Amino acid sequence: MKPLSSRILFHLRQQLPLLILALVPVLIMEILSRGHYLDMMSWTVKHFFELIFNEWIVLSVLLFFTALIGRTRIAYWVTAAVFIIMALISGVKLKILGVPLTPWDLVIAGEASDMVKYVTNILTFQVLSVFVLFGAVSYFLLYRTPLILKKVALKERIAYGVVGLLMMLAVYQDAPLPVQKWLGIQAMVWNQAQNTTTNGYALATVLNTKVMFSDKREGYDDKAIEAIVSHTPEPPIKAGDSPNPIKPNVIVILSESFWDPTQIQGATFSADPIPFFHKLQRTGTSGTMLSPQYGGGTANVEFEVLTGNSMRFLPQGSVAYNQYISNEVDSLASIYARQGYTSTAISPFYNWYFNSNKVYQDFGFSKYIPIEYFKPNYSGPYIADSEVAANIIKTTEQSDGADFVFANTMENHFHYYPGKFPKNTFDVTGDFSPSSKGMLETLAQGMNGADRMLQQLVEYYEKKGEPTIIAFWGDHLPALGDDYATYIDTKYISGKDDPDFLKKMYSVPLVVWNNFDTRKDHLDMSPNYLGPYLIELSKQQGNYYTSFLSQLKKKIPVIPPKDYYAKMNINENDLKDYETLQYDVLFGERHAYKDYTKPIIDPNYRLGYGPITIDKVDADSKDISGRSSITLTVEGSNIPPLGYVSLNGKALTTTWVDEHKVTAVVDGQLLKAGLWDVQILNKDSKETVVGKSNSLSIEIGGR
């Protein structure tokens, strides 16, 4: 009988072909995620150890699936399919948004439909050629060589499963030997493109997953927070109104992908797409904000403005609303609410998107007006900006006192190909491709809608005379083609290595208008500083956080990604206290809230303008004899445009007249004599009831 060591070596030699097999999807993944064969080949030479780790990961998953399935060929196809599809989507997403697919994308519930845009142009000739190469090599190894075992015995399956799990655990924990630490391998979470480029897609994904489930911070406790807060110029707010008798409305508008395309010097527009915005820039307070996003991720910009927190302390590619908001967070909404304001959030998209319904409640808003309560007034595929303006005006009209309103828009949302809008009134000329021309013309049309919305609001509140502040800015630059194609084609940037890439591709324009103060400030800052500025302008009382940020802004007005700190002369230690305060709010014990005497969350928080009520139900006949249908007229209050009448639990075809009246037709099998129980319901796109009225009953006679 052979000694144990010999038997082990024999079995190990039998498994060596799996190393070759696991290498195939690794190389295919790198081609797809990088976009080029040569980039993959260069990476395998320059980052050999990272290559080994990627193969280690794929091999561990292959062993695990083989243990589950018992057949090597099927396990291989499943393993390869999972990794290759993820890498393919990652490569397309990287081209559009400059950020690869991360584990955070996979756990964002409800936004799956938003990912469709990442895969619309996926089957290019190059991608198909990669698939053909993958299929040919895999087929040869699996079916034309005797290297790979087709079926694995039960004992070996158990061994495969154990070994696979141990291998994955070893790379995840970097144990029992800290090989990754020795080799300097780390997750570059502040730059996910570089993270994937350096570490390879599989390893970057594992490292990101480890970061996702790790939120521990050293040196954090109650005393640390107290020490930071005690050194701010003002003490933490406890309760009570500001002594200032004037309470201006504060309206904050995040305009989707709003940017100034006239900055492209090589492009000539037939007319200024944003003339009113330019007028406000010249006559009042204006400037720029360095957005943490490009092409998408609106919620992260909201997060910075509303809470004062910074995405710079969170992994790039993550979405704060979905991942980190699990408790109450003091925000502009709750700060103004403590001083008698009505705080309202308005969004022309679904209430569940980016977990907004729950997040706005945690932020202290009194009410949230999502698309389910909008009139279906569209401009292209999305709700028109003018309809958002109408809802802002309606909100402040219904309120007895001052309002804080946060609204975002959708009219100018990605994509920008010709034909997005029913009519395009702008022509663009220049030395660039027809594709760039078409996207710029579509963009100009969308920008013009945003500009007209801004004008509509300013003129309304100017005429009304009620003290009002309107802050209007773009969340990020629009994604104009893959790999910044239009920006490069028009020579706005020279490429991804443009020396001014960060400033040009992440700076968004901002104006702050008001009708009671003649000051004219020039603002260049990060979005997290806008809240403290608005509080100071409105002369209201902030909190410990806004006081801290006001002081920090004097020293570091713009917070860039970490790899720009040295270039912009930023000492990372100067941001440590800020990072600690943010940790306290998002992951810690919220020590800084301990002196609050009033809850941040409004117990009366609701969706819509108010409770939906039915006061009266009339039928055009109380007798169904000889009738093929009966029309009901339902009257009440706060009836949403998308609401519908329910009869004994069954939906009726409903026509919305106004917020006080709807009509509905009863026919078919529902046309029966008896007691008709009538109710108005409002559902979202997931068929979840987001609003319902009281019930009223009427007696209908006949056959």
Side-chain angles (χ1 to χ4, degrees), residues 554-587:
K554 296 175 183 178
K555 190 172 187 177
I556 309 176
V558 176
I559 304 176
K562 189 175 181 179
D563 42 7
Y564 280 85
Y565 283 3
K567 183 178 180 180
M568 297 178 66
N569 298 315
I570 294 174
N571 185 341
E572 188 173 355
N573 289 327
D574 292 336
L575 293 169
K576 290 298 182 184
D577 285 351
Y578 182 15
E579 189 174 1
T580 300
L581 288 179
Q582 178 168 310
Y583 181 89
D584 179 56
V585 170
L586 298 182
F587 308 113

Side-chain angles (χ1 to χ4, degrees), residues 21 205 354 525 570 584 619:
L21 199 61
T205 300
F354 283 131
M525 59 187 179
I570 294 174
D584 179 56

Side-chain angles (χ1 to χ4, degrees), residues 579-600:
E579 189 174 1
T580 300
L581 288 179
Q582 178 168 310
Y583 181 89
D584 179 56
V585 170
L586 298 182
F587 308 113
E589 301 298 325
R590 292 173 292 284
H591 294 298
Y593 292 171
K594 66 181 181 180
D595 291 330
Y596 281 39
T597 59
K598 186 176 181 180
I600 291 172

Side-chain angles (χ1 to χ4, degrees), residues 320-381:
Y321 278 13
N322 292 87
Q323 296 166 242
Y324 307 122
I325 308 299
S326 57
N327 293 284
E328 60 182 13
V329 176
D330 209 16
S331 73
L332 289 179
S334 52
I335 289 172
Y336 278 107
R338 283 197 290 269
Q339 296 164 85
Y341 280 68
T342 299
S343 294
T344 304
I346 299 175
S347 174
F349 215 56
Y350 304 113
N351 76 91
W352 49 260
Y353 197 69
F354 283 131
N355 204 26
S356 296
N357 188 11
K358 177 65 168 60
V359 168
Y360 289 150
Q361 183 177 23
D362 286 339
F363 283 0
F365 282 97
S366 299
K367 56 185 175 181
Y368 172 30
I369 315 298
I371 191 174
E372 292 87 358
Y373 292 85
F374 271 64
K375 294 179 182 178
N377 177 16
Y378 284 78
S379 178

Side-chain angles (χ1 to χ4, degrees), residues 142-430:
L142 289 172
Y143 301 96
R144 287 292 180 264
T145 70
L147 298 175
I148 308 301
L149 293 174
K150 298 178 183 178
K151 190 174 181 180
V152 182
L154 180 60
K155 288 184 178 180
E156 289 180 314
R157 289 172 63 180
I158 295 173
Y160 277 22
V162 172
V163 171
L165 288 174
L166 289 176
M167 288 175 63
M168 182 57 73
L169 187 62
V171 71
Y172 184 83
Q173 296 289 353
D174 197 23
L177 297 176
V179 179
Q180 295 170 34
K181 184 177 181 181
W182 292 344
L183 296 175
I185 295 174
Q186 61 174 329
M188 291 168 275
V189 294
W190 61 90
N191 188 333
Q192 290 293 351
Q194 187 62 41
N195 191 23
T196 303
T197 301
T198 300
N199 292 320
Y201 184 71
L203 178 57
T205 300
V206 171
L207 295 175
N208 279 332
T209 303
K210 184 177 180 179
V211 170
M212 183 169 67
F213 292 108
S214 175
D215 58 8
K216 301 296 181 183
R217 180 176 174 83
E218 296 180 0
Y220 163 77
D221 56 26
D222 187 32
K223 291 183 179 179
I225 297 298
E226 186 176 346
I228 298 170
V229 173
S230 65
H231 283 85
T232 58
E234 300 173 9
I237 186 171
K238 294 183 179 181
D241 294 343
S242 164
N244 182 40
I246 299 177
K247 285 184 168 58
N249 296 320
V250 179
I251 300 171
V252 182
I253 303 166
L254 184 157
S255 181
E256 174 63 40
S257 298
F258 186 84
W259 181 63
D260 186 353
T262 64
Q263 293 183 76
I264 301 177
Q265 296 183 357
T268 301
F269 292 81
S270 57
D272 185 354
I274 50 173
F276 191 76
F277 185 88
H278 283 148
K279 175 185 174 182
L280 294 186
Q281 279 184 315
R282 293 190 299 268
T283 59
T285 293
S286 66
T288 61
M289 292 197 297
L290 189 70
S291 175
Q293 302 293 139
Y294 165 78
T298 298
N300 286 342
V301 187
E302 283 190 25
F303 168 73
E304 290 207 1
V305 169
L306 288 173
T307 69
N309 292 312
S310 175
M311 288 302 300
R312 303 304 185 194
F313 305 136
L314 300 172
Q316 187 188 34
S318 60
V319 179
Y321 278 13
N322 292 87
Q323 296 166 242
Y324 307 122
I325 308 299
S326 57
N327 293 284
E328 60 182 13
V329 176
D330 209 16
S331 73
L332 289 179
S334 52
I335 289 172
Y336 278 107
R338 283 197 290 269
Q339 296 164 85
Y341 280 68
T342 299
S343 294
T344 304
I346 299 175
S347 174
F349 215 56
Y350 304 113
N351 76 91
W352 49 260
Y353 197 69
F354 283 131
N355 204 26
S356 296
N357 188 11
K358 177 65 168 60
V359 168
Y360 289 150
Q361 183 177 23
D362 286 339
F363 283 0
F365 282 97
S366 299
K367 56 185 175 181
Y368 172 30
I369 315 298
I371 191 174
E372 292 87 358
Y373 292 85
F374 271 64
K375 294 179 182 178
N377 177 16
Y378 284 78
S379 178
Y382 300 106
I383 292 287
D385 285 2
S386 60
E387 188 60 31
V388 178
N391 278 275
I392 292 173
I393 291 171
K394 179 179 178 180
T395 295
T396 58
E397 283 181 339
Q398 287 189 349
S399 172
D400 294 331
D403 286 275
F404 170 75
V405 179
F406 174 79
N408 56 44
T409 70
M410 286 292 290
E411 181 175 340
N412 196 44
H413 194 277
F414 178 94
H415 62 80
Y416 304 99
Y417 298 108
K420 175 182 178 179
F421 298 108
K423 184 179 180 182
N424 204 322
T425 59
F426 291 88
D427 293 319
V428 179
T429 57

Side-chain angles (χ1 to χ4, degrees), residues 646-659:
S646 170
L647 173 60
N648 296 330
K650 302 293 183 180
L652 301 180
T653 300
T654 303
T655 301
W656 187 80
V657 179
D658 56 37
E659 62 186 276

